[in-house]
Amino acid sequence: MDNFFNEIVELFTTPQYIDSMLHGFALTMQIAFFAIIIGLVLGTIIALIDTAKKSKWMFLPKLICKIYTTIIRGTPMALQLFIMFFVIFAIRGFPQVIIAVLAFGFNSAAYVSEVIRSGIQSVDGGQTEAGLALGLSRFTIFRKIVAPQAIKNIIPALGNEIITVIKETAIVSMVGLYDLNMAAKDIGSGQNMASYIVPMFTAALFYLAVVYIITFVIKCIEKRLRRSDRRI
Amino acid sequence: MEEKILKIKALKKVFGKNKVLKGIDFELAAGERVVVLGPSGSGKSTFLRCINRMEEPTSGEIYFHDTLITDKNIQKMRQDIGMVFQHFNLINNLTVMQNLTLAPVVLKLMKEEEAEKKARSLLRHIDLLDKAEAFPASLSGGQKQRIAIIRAMMMDPKVLLFDEPTSALDPESIGDVLSLIHEVADAGMTMMIVTHEMGFAREIASRVVFIDEGKIIEEGTPSEFFEHPKTPRVKEFLKKVL
Ligand SMILES: Nc1ncnc2c1ncn2[C@@H]1O[C@H](COP(=O)(O)OP(=O)(O)OP(=O)(O)O)[C@@H](O)[C@H]1O
Ligand SMILES: [Mg+2]
């Protein structure tokens, strides 16, 4: 037990370790943040194409989206990361962080699009019909009626997806990037503290704290969005 | 000659292999109140929904006044062809007031203050002014349907289509909704109503149309239709429902 406390003290008083930990954390957050942005933007576009009215113009875009989401959701993230690193971006000197961001962003987009698509489709068709019968355009109906109702279903699931991306970025240590996960392993290794337990639990606390904060924020947003369900 | 609001020629609708409407010819004159009757699954809702293109007709022509309704002009036409649904379809994320004013304001038919003023006077008329800021989730079925009716009235439509407006209501609120429809009728509104309320049908109809298996097989004034039905099919139907 004494040893354990000593190790905690060692980790938090050695500037080099703290530095490594924070750098790792910063990289994790950086990759996750930009990947989530790409995932949201690309995922929204895919979802809109997916839910658009069928027509001959939309046939090809819909097919491409279908193939894309099927491939992404049907293969392991770690393999997609390897393919991005060692096949698609096997270019010397290309910034590794950007490759990682793209890999996670492209992956997340497939899941985000599913979340948004099912959110939109869960809105009762009668809501759209009400708008149509009043002479509103499909665009107005989407903006004023469908989207605000879909958001309520989308936000909680999107929160889960954001959390998943943050945790999943830990596999970038497999391609040698120095993220939070890698930092814990490095600090615990033989040349450094020579004990994994404290750095790894500390890394776990970092991840947990971020997940907790995001969960809290999502809950608050959900509560605000629920206002129209309230009976007044 | 009296003014025709709707002219429908050889309207057909097929869902997959299911031929639901098999050639409907129908005209609706200004001020008429046509009640559409028929057994379940005969195509009454489909008929009504083809008129404002909630369903795309498979073939046939529908004229509003003298304009052929097409995919291009239907959005504009719908401002003049109101519809009241069986399940009310109030917009859940909007308050009652917003439900009433959204379309007239977005479509620039009225200024916002003007629309709110009109909405308030209609709400007062149905005794629901105190619900103006409530969300639909907090209303009873009868309240929702009466609001859906005045929402359609906000547009000053030339014709109102009702698809079983009281079928989803408890017996107590049916009366409120029916008397509101009566009031709208008395104000001169042209309407088409699908209903299973035979008493109401008889009172409100200026003409009754009977659909069976996707065709109009009999029509007439309510007294002709209910007291002297011509076809065996209608006689049988009336025996069951009266
Ligand atoms: N969107 C749809 N897709 C496929 N089939 C449909 C659709 N809407 C209606 N139908 C079919 O068309 C037929 C007629 O339906 P419709 O709703 O018009 O009947 P109805 O006369 O209104 O019956 P009810 O009195 O029960 O409301 C039914 O067989 C129904 O299953
Ligand atoms: Mg019906």
Side-chain angles (χ1 to χ4, degrees):
Chain A
M1 208 58 195
D2 239 16
N3 208 14
F4 184 66
F5 279 113
N6 288 340
E7 280 175 17
I8 294 177
V9 172
E10 186 187 353
L11 176 64
F12 283 97
T13 52
T14 313
Q16 182 211 332
Y17 295 161
I18 296 179
D19 219 46
S20 300
M21 212 68 176
L22 291 178
H23 266 98
F25 180 65
L27 187 73
T28 290
M29 294 316 290
Q30 236 172 10
I31 295 174
F33 179 80
F34 290 106
I36 287 162
I37 300 288
I38 292 176
L40 287 177
V41 173
L42 194 58
T44 306
I45 295 170
I46 295 173
L48 291 178
I49 293 173
D50 232 10
T51 53
K53 221 176 143 201
K54 280 195 184 115
S55 71
K56 60 176 191 280
W57 301 110
M58 292 306 293
F59 179 77
L60 193 61
K62 275 177 189 284
L63 184 68
I64 292 171
C65 290
K66 188 88 208 136
I67 293 172
Y68 179 82
T69 52
T70 305
I71 291 176
I72 293 283
R73 301 198 319 147
T75 56
M77 178 65 233
L79 182 61
Q80 290 167 24
L81 187 70
F82 283 177
I83 290 173
M84 289 292 277
F85 263 80
F86 304 124
V87 181
I88 298 174
F89 285 98
I91 310 162
R92 272 212 304 163
F94 198 90
Q96 290 189 315
V97 178
I98 294 182
I99 306 175
V101 163
L102 292 176
F104 285 100
F106 291 163
N107 176 272
S108 186
Y111 291 92
V112 168
S113 76
E114 270 310 290
V115 164
I116 295 178
R117 188 191 56 77
S118 70
I120 290 174
Q121 285 174 350
S122 70
V123 176
D124 172 28
Q127 299 286 303
T128 300
E129 286 193 353
L132 286 175
L134 288 164
L136 297 175
S137 67
R138 291 215 170 250
F139 179 73
T140 305
I141 292 169
F142 183 77
R143 201 163 59 93
K144 299 269 190 182
I145 301 172
V146 176
Q149 295 186 42
I151 289 271
K152 280 186 217 170
N153 307 320
I154 290 171
I155 290 292
L158 223 43
N160 285 337
E161 174 56 21
I162 290 171
I163 289 169
T164 302
V165 171
I166 292 171
K167 291 185 298 180
E168 237 175 15
T169 57
I171 61 173
V172 293
S173 49
M174 289 168 67
V175 291
L177 280 172
Y178 202 90
D179 73 326
L180 180 57
N181 191 36
M182 186 63 159
K185 188 175 166 228
D186 179 36
I187 296 167
S189 70
Q191 307 101 303
N192 294 311
M193 285 176 65
S195 166
Y196 286 115
I197 179 158
V198 171
M200 286 194 174
F201 273 84
T202 309
L205 285 177
F206 272 81
Y207 282 111
L208 269 171
V210 173
V211 168
Y212 183 81
I213 291 168
I214 290 171
T215 309
F216 179 78
V217 171
I218 296 287
K219 281 263 150 59
C220 291
I221 299 175
E222 262 180 81
K223 220 182 258 168
R224 285 204 62 137
L225 289 172
R226 273 255 171 76
R227 271 181 312 188
S228 62
D229 297 340
R230 213 171 49 198
R231 301 174 145 255
I232 57 170
Chain B
M1 212 185 77
E2 55 185 341
E3 189 195 356
K4 297 286 186 220
I5 291 197
L6 287 172
K7 274 182 253 162
I8 297 171
K9 291 182 185 161
L11 173 65
K12 290 185 185 166
K13 174 68 187 177
V14 180
F15 286 111
K17 284 188 187 141
N18 186 3
K19 289 183 187 149
V20 176
L21 298 181
K22 300 174 183 166
I24 293 211
D25 295 285
F26 176 83
E27 293 194 345
L28 182 71
E32 271 196 296
R33 298 176 303 280
V34 171
V35 169
V36 181
L37 298 178
S40 182
S42 57
K44 306 179 296 294
S45 299
T46 306
F47 175 38
L48 231 55
R49 289 164 57 81
C50 280
I51 294 174
N52 67 347
R53 265 195 170 55
M54 293 290 113
E55 304 290 352
E56 184 89 15
T58 305
S59 66
E61 290 167 352
I62 302 176
Y63 294 86
F64 178 73
H65 288 287
D66 284 315
T67 316
L68 179 66
I69 299 182
T70 64
D71 282 343
K72 296 249 156 28
N73 64 19
I74 182 59
Q75 198 191 318
K76 187 98 178 88
M77 300 285 193
R78 284 180 183 137
Q79 297 179 17
D80 290 322
I81 307 174
M83 181 170 243
V84 174
F85 300 89
Q86 180 175 353
H87 297 285
F88 335 126
N89 296 358
L90 290 187
I91 295 160
N92 294 327
N93 58 310
L94 302 181
T95 63
V96 168
M97 180 54 81
Q98 290 166 333
N99 263 277
L100 296 173
T101 57
L102 176 69
V105 172
V106 167
L107 297 170
K108 299 201 163 63
L109 306 175
M110 284 181 223
K111 292 221 175 56
E112 191 161 343
E113 310 84 76
E114 212 184 325
E116 283 181 7
K117 194 168 158 224
K118 179 165 182 174
R120 268 195 299 275
S121 95
L122 286 169
L123 280 171
R124 193 176 301 120
H125 188 78
I126 60 170
D127 234 7
L128 289 176
L129 189 53
D130 56 327
K131 299 289 185 191
E133 299 311 319
F135 284 98
S138 70
L139 304 172
S140 75
Q143 291 171 333
K144 283 185 200 169
Q145 192 61 303
R146 284 183 290 143
I147 287 162
I149 293 170
I150 64 169
R151 179 175 69 181
M153 300 294 293
M154 286 290 294
M155 307 291 291
D156 283 323
K158 300 288 179 299
V159 53
L160 259 185
L161 311 174
F162 294 85
D163 189 6
E164 301 199 31
T166 59
S167 294
L169 297 175
D170 56 291
E172 248 175 294
S173 18
I174 289 179
D176 291 343
V177 169
L178 293 184
S179 58
L180 178 59
I181 299 175
H182 265 296
E183 276 185 62
V184 174
D186 290 343
M189 178 64 67
T190 308
M191 42 176 77
M192 291 179 67
I193 307 171
V194 175
T195 182
H196 292 291
E197 298 279 330
M198 289 303 143
F200 170 69
R202 198 170 176 155
E203 279 166 31
I204 200 153
S206 58
R207 174 157 61 116
V208 177
V209 167
F210 187 88
I211 294 190
D212 189 32
E213 292 181 5
K215 283 195 130 137
I216 296 180
I217 62 165
E218 186 165 338
E219 58 183 305
T221 63
S223 59
E224 281 169 3
F225 182 87
F226 285 103
E227 276 141 45
H228 310 287
K230 288 179 283 234
T231 56
R233 190 67 194 85
V234 173
K235 283 180 192 160
E236 185 197 335
F237 175 82
L238 290 176
K239 210 181 283 168
K240 267 190 231 154
V241 297
L242 288 181

